[in-house]
């Protein structure tokens, strides 16, 4: 089925468990049975909206049982409950029927395996959906955007012209990272309203026109007196006007900007076919602008050429590529291997953002000194002086080039941990950025480093390279910082499952760092530079 030929709404993408059918309760019961204990609110992030393999790995860590055995038991227990206890959620079938009458394609996008999804589709009617994307169909599942991007690709639809309907924060993060508008209908845990996201107590009464308004921003539909809550949990809804944020006098929504930072690992040449894999990774990430490090001189220009994007190259190591026009460039051929460079991009009329990329020196490396040499906090801080000076220089350049009201993003490989992750050491590089007014987007989205460590070093270095067999310290050393924007979602990103060094030549991921991808909402026009 092709996207709707007339409506701005090209397709509607449905989560399955807890959204279309009341299976969150069944999944919860299955996990409790396999875990051998009652679950609590603390367990929700590891259970709700997660693929079976994630929950199995989590249970393996806490029980000591093999993850494959736990995964098989979870599959078995959940499938049995689905076969005997499936119930459509209120309003779900009516909405599917309405979309079918109005000619709007629909897709099922679920973190459940295809065997379970098939059971649900049999109950609902498989012909209701043009596409079904399951945990078996993408390399990574929710909260990564891959499932929703796959559904949009199969439908030939633009993510920004699609509405995803979800019941968990994990699913919401996945859909928003893909660029979809989201209608959240929480089942077991609350979900807050946000720009581009509407929260409702149930699907009862939802119409095609209301979903169309979410992507078209039709004033008459957005202002209709539907009972949209500002936040809702399983017990009911909080009162609220139920409209998405609008800017200025007109119905145009504040634009979003997805920013990615990526160290290319000396251009990526350690991996076969690295340039094509880099292009695919950028496209799959959904990024609008990418700050690059270790570009080997030519990667910025070549990637931009392959993508049809704008670019700025600075020295032999730094670059920025952008689908949006670049209006100003900062930093030229004289930028060293370590340093910073930036651009100003025009996201839309009166909408500009400064995006900077930085690469800080890799030695001495604090995690090694801590893990291998036993250095204490005071010594570790003193040894950050080279990187601190480089960060201070980058901050001066950003300040000198900035304009009041123009938001700033600073990305890069800082080669040091964050004071937000390891509070036993007041790591001065990230502290300096914070004191300059830059906020850490990943930690805004994931405040607890224990639940979301966000490690970017290293997806391929498992053991230390000195041959000692010591585990390589895993740390978050790549960042997307910002000032003047609102964070919608942030995640680390690695394509496929990379093999460990030195067996890396055929990896799908052509880097030794994980990337970081953050989705921002731009501020109201009244608070930005109107140039």
């Amino acid at each position: 089925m092709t996207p709707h030929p007339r409506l701005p709404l090209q397709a509607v993408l449905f989560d399955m468990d807890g959204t279309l059918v009341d299976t969150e309760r069944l999944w919860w019961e299955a996990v409790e049975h396999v875990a051998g204990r009652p679950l609590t609110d603390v367990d929700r992030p590891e259970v709700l909206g997660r693929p079976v393999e994630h929950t199995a790995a989590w249970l393996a860590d806490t029980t000591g049982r093999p993850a494959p055995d736990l995964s098989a038991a979870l599959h078995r227990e959940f499938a049995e409950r689905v076969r005997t206890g499936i119930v459509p959620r209120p309003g779900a079938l009516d909405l599917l029927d309405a979309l079918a009458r109005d000619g709007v394609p629909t897709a099922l996008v679920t973190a459940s395996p295809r065997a379970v999804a098939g059971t649900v589709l049999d109950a609902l009617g498989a012909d209701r959906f043009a596409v079904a994307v399951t945990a078996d169909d993408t390399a990574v599942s929710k909260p990564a955007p891959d499932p929703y991007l796959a559904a949009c690709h199969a439908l030939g639809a633009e993510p920004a012209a699609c509405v995803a309907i979800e019941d968990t924060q994990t699913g919401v993060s996945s859909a928003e990272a893909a660029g979809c508008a989201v209608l959240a209908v929480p089942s077991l845990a609350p979900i807050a309203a946000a720009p581009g996201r509407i929260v409702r107590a149930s699907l009862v009464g939802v119409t095609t026109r209301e979903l169309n308004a979410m992507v078209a921003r039709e004033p008459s539909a957005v202002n209709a007196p539907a009972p949209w809550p500002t936040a809702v949990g399983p017990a009911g809804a909080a009162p609220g006007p139920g409209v998405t944020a609008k800017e200025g006098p007109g119905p145009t929504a504040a634009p979003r900007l997805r920013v990615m930072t990526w160290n290319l690992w000396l251009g990526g040449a350690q991996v076969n076919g690295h340039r094509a894999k880099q292009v695919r990774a950028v496209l799959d990430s959904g990024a609008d602008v990418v700050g690059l490090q270790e570009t080997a001189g030519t990667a910025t220009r070549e990637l931009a050429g392959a993508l049809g994007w704008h670019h700025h190259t600075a020295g032999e190591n730094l670059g920025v590529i952008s689908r949006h026009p670049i209006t100003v460039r900062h930093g030229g051929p004289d930028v060293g291997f370590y340093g910073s460079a930036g651009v100003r991009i025009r996201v839309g009329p009166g909408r500009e953002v400064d995006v900077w990329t930085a690469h800080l020196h890799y030695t001495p490396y604090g995690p090694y000194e801590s893990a291998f040499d036993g250095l204490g906090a005071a010594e570790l801080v003193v040894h950050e002086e080279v990187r601190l000076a480089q960060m201070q220089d980058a901050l001066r350049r950003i300040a000198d080039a900035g304009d009041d009201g123009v938001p700033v993003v600073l990305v890069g490989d800082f080669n040091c941990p964050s004071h937000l992750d390891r509070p036993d050491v007041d790591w001065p590089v990230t502290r300096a950025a914070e004191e300059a007014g830059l906020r850490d987007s990943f930690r805004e989205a994931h405040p607890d480093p224990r639940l979301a460590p966000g490690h970017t070093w290293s997806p391929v270095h498992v053991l230390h390279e000195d041959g000692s067999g010591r585990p390589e310290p895993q740390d978050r050393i790549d960042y997307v910082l910002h000032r003047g924007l609102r964070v919608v979602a942030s995640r680390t990103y690695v394509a496929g499952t990379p093999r460990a060094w030195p067996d890396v030549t055929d990896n799908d991921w052509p880097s030794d760092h994980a990337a970081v991808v953050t989705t921002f909402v731009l501020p109201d026009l009244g608070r930005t530079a109107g140039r």
Side-chain angles (χ1 to χ4, degrees):
M1 183 180 289
T2 57
H4 195 285
R6 296 179 303 279
L7 291 177
L9 176 65
Q10 294 184 3
V12 178
L13 317 174
F14 287 88
D15 172 58
M16 184 179 79
D17 302 318
T19 300
L20 282 174
V21 290
D22 189 12
T23 51
E24 292 289 8
R25 172 182 54 82
L26 304 180
W27 172 239
W28 191 264
E29 291 173 357
V31 177
E32 286 187 323
H33 180 86
V34 173
R37 65 172 177 85
L39 299 178
T40 69
D41 288 345
V42 175
D43 302 315
R44 291 184 189 277
E46 309 299 338
V47 176
L48 296 185
R50 294 290 192 173
V52 174
E53 289 70 23
H54 175 95
T55 303
W58 167 68
L59 287 175
D61 288 340
T62 58
T63 65
R65 296 164 59 188
D69 293 350
L70 290 164
S71 181
L74 288 169
H75 277 292
R76 183 174 59 253
E77 292 294 330
F78 183 50
E80 180 59 30
R81 285 166 170 78
V82 168
R83 278 191 291 269
T84 59
I86 189 169
V87 177
R89 295 287 289 171
L93 298 184
D94 289 340
L95 178 55
L96 285 168
D97 290 342
L99 292 168
R101 288 193 302 271
D102 294 331
V104 178
T106 58
L108 186 74
V109 184
T110 177
S112 292
R114 184 160 292 276
V116 173
T119 303
V120 174
L121 286 171
D122 288 343
L124 294 177
D127 58 346
R128 293 180 180 274
F129 302 94
V131 171
V133 177
T134 74
D136 300 331
D137 300 321
T138 57
V140 291
S141 191
K142 304 173 186 180
D146 301 47
Y148 279 101
L149 291 173
C152 291
H153 179 74
L155 290 168
E158 290 292 329
C162 296
V163 173
I165 302 181
E166 275 282 356
D167 74 307
T168 67
Q169 184 59 57
T170 299
V172 167
S173 298
S174 173
E176 290 181 339
C180 302
V182 171
L183 171 61
V185 186
S187 56
L188 293 179
I191 298 173
R197 181 197 311 166
I198 290 176
V199 186
R200 189 161 179 169
S202 79
L203 293 177
V204 174
V206 176
T207 66
T208 301
R209 182 167 177 259
E210 291 166 345
L211 298 179
N212 186 61
M214 293 180 66
V215 296
R217 304 298 184 224
E218 297 173 358
S220 60
V222 173
N223 294 327
W228 302 109
T230 56
V232 65
V243 297
T244 53
K246 298 191 292 182
E247 62 182 41
T252 302
R256 295 188 177 196
L257 183 70
R258 185 167 296 139
V259 182
M260 176 175 172
T261 185
W262 196 10
N263 182 311
L264 296 181
W265 196 9
L266 299 174
Q270 301 279 5
V271 175
N272 293 333
H274 59 278
R275 192 68 78 233
K277 292 175 180 177
Q278 289 166 347
V279 170
R280 185 166 63 246
V282 171
L283 290 173
D284 288 349
S285 75
D288 300 304
V289 57
V290 185
L292 301 169
Q293 308 89 43
E294 294 195 21
T295 61
T298 63
T300 303
R301 182 184 70 253
E302 292 172 2
L303 281 173
L307 292 162
W309 286 15
H310 308 272
H311 76 281
H312 172 47
T313 297
E316 61 179 303
N317 179 44
L318 295 171
V320 179
I321 58 175
S322 172
R323 70 169 71 248
H324 297 294
I326 293 174
T327 60
V328 181
R329 290 170 169 82
H330 302 290
D334 58 336
V335 173
F337 188 85
Y338 298 107
S340 58
V343 300
R344 179 165 294 178
I345 61 173
R346 179 173 292 122
V347 180
R351 298 281 194 176
E352 292 184 318
V353 178
D354 286 347
V355 180
W356 288 74
T357 181
H359 192 193
L360 310 185
H361 207 287
Y362 78 99
T363 186
Y365 187 52
Y368 290 168
E369 294 187 311
S370 174
F372 301 150
D373 303 332
L375 265 61
E379 293 172 290
L380 292 171
V381 168
V382 168
H383 287 187
E384 291 293 312
E385 59 185 8
V386 171
R387 278 182 290 273
L388 178 58
Q390 292 168 340
M391 172 57 77
Q392 290 169 336
D393 179 70
L395 295 173
R396 282 192 295 269
R397 292 172 181 267
I398 291 170
D400 290 345
D403 286 336
D404 290 343
V406 176
V408 174
V409 179
L410 170 62
V411 311
D413 170 11
F414 297 172
N415 272 312
C416 63
S418 170
H419 66 289
L420 300 176
D421 296 356
R422 298 173 56 170
D424 56 315
V425 180
D426 193 23
W427 299 97
V429 171
T430 55
R431 175 70 74 182
E434 182 180 79
E435 291 174 350
L438 295 171
R439 296 174 60 86
D440 186 327
S441 66
F442 186 85
R443 274 292 158 252
E444 282 192 71
H446 310 281
D448 191 339
R450 296 168 300 175
L451 297 177
H455 295 156
T456 60
W457 180 266
S458 165
V460 301
H461 290 289
V462 178
L463 300 178
H464 195 48
E465 286 189 59
D466 64 358
S468 65
R470 294 178 294 182
E472 178 75 2
Q474 301 295 304
D475 278 277
R476 189 170 70 100
I477 62 173
D478 300 79
Y479 300 88
V480 178
L481 311 182
H482 76 98
R483 182 173 64 235
L485 299 167
R486 179 178 297 177
V487 175
V488 172
S490 186
R491 65 188 179 97
T492 58
Y493 172 51
V494 174
T497 305
R499 287 175 290 279
W501 175 265
D503 184 25
V504 299
T505 55
D506 292 322
N507 280 348
D508 290 330
W509 185 247
S511 177
D512 55 350
H513 287 245
V516 182
V517 184
T518 296
T519 304
F520 296 105
V521 172
L522 273 65
D524 293 341
L525 275 172
R527 295 189 289 114
T528 62
R531 307 174 4 138

